Amino acid sequence: MRLVIAKCQVDYAGRLTAHLPMATRLVLVKADGSVSVHADDRAYKPLNWMSPPCSLSVVEPSDEAREELGVTEVWQVRSKEGDTLAISIADVLLDSAHDLGVDPGLQKDGVEAHLQALLAEHPATFGDGWRLVKREYYTPVGPVDLLLRDSDGAHVAVEVKRRGEIDGVEQLTRYLDLMNRDPLLAPVRGIFAAQQIKPQAAVLARDRGIECRVLDYDALRGMDNAEDRLF
């Protein structure tokens, strides 16, 4: 990972346009090729970013940018769709690179891990004739919790959470993007499964073509028998 703290101006052009005027920011370039620009606030969300796969090249600034803004170089980041992120670098305060190695991935809490195990044992929870292909199916950006086949034999990637939030939808979106580039898997659709799913996450999932499933933990564990209910 490369970390650069510098005065920079950022311009995005693609489905929309966005401009960040000159200010001191943190720029992260990760091993997967992603580039993100951060301010000194917000817990995690960057001001702007480019998801992999993308290319990064360094070009000379225009005379106007050099003279008026003190720009010394411009990073041109381009996505496979042709979107561009231009980061105009001025004063550099820090530029360092670090090899973080292979990340072991997020360790799920007990309930989340147990939900995943129960669904792996009972893929028919999602539909008759469904079967498990692999638990913890690895992609270049991390493992998707479950890879299943539905009754028609199509692949389905399932991300399991105790509480479903926007981050989980984004995570599954990244997995699906990469899995659908594999001709041996594609087409792959996604299911976002959780005990609770926040409304914002459900809206984003629908926009991404991802199905949401709310899980009943007690029923999966066999502790909630519908025949024993009074109502």
Side-chain angles (χ1 to χ4, degrees), residues 2-204:
R2 183 180 178 188
L3 300 89
V4 177
I5 298 177
K7 288 186 66 177
C8 62
Q9 172 180 288
V10 183
D11 293 278
Y12 170 81
R15 289 162 292 179
L16 48 81
T17 59
H19 172 73
L20 295 171
M22 188 67 70
T24 301
R25 301 184 177 92
L26 168 65
V27 183
L28 298 180
V29 182
K30 296 187 178 181
D32 63 1
S34 64
V35 179
S36 56
V37 181
H38 299 259
D40 197 11
D41 64 0
R42 325 172 179 219
Y44 63 92
K45 188 174 181 179
L47 296 169
N48 216 323
W49 68 95
M50 193 71 79
S51 300
C54 56
S55 61
L56 189 158
S57 58
V58 179
V59 300
E60 292 292 320
S62 66
D63 292 339
E64 181 181 359
R66 191 188 301 274
E67 292 172 6
E68 294 185 4
L69 300 175
V71 175
T72 58
E73 61 183 27
V74 179
W75 294 10
Q76 293 280 5
V77 187
R78 183 178 296 275
S79 73
K80 65 172 184 175
E81 293 84 9
D83 296 358
T84 60
L85 189 67
I87 306 174
S88 302
I89 304 287
D91 298 331
V92 177
L93 306 178
L94 172 73
D95 188 346
S96 62
H98 307 272
D99 184 359
L100 303 186
V102 178
D103 192 273
L106 179 67
Q107 299 298 313
K108 297 179 179 292
D109 65 28
V111 172
E112 204 165 293
H114 196 203
L115 280 170
Q116 184 188 123
L118 287 169
L119 292 170
E121 292 174 9
H122 305 286
T125 299
F126 296 103
D128 292 337
W130 287 49
R131 60 185 178 86
L132 177 69
V133 176
K134 186 173 176 59
R135 183 178 173 187
E136 298 285 347
Y137 182 88
Y138 279 85
T139 76
V141 292
V144 66
D145 291 332
L146 303 171
L147 180 61
L148 308 177
R149 280 190 184 271
D150 64 17
S151 57
D152 295 323
H155 285 105
V156 184
V158 182
E159 187 62 25
V160 182
K161 300 293 183 187
R162 183 166 57 87
R163 184 168 62 182
E165 300 185 4
I166 284 177
D167 281 358
V169 178
E170 294 283 11
Q171 182 181 358
L172 180 53
T173 299
R174 292 192 295 271
Y175 295 153
L176 289 170
D177 181 57
L178 288 167
M179 295 171 79
N180 274 301
R181 295 179 208 169
D182 185 342
L184 297 178
L185 294 177
V188 185
R189 61 188 177 93
I191 293 179
F192 188 53
Q195 284 182 280
Q196 299 176 338
I197 299 178
K198 288 194 171 183
Q200 301 94 326
V203 170
L204 181 61

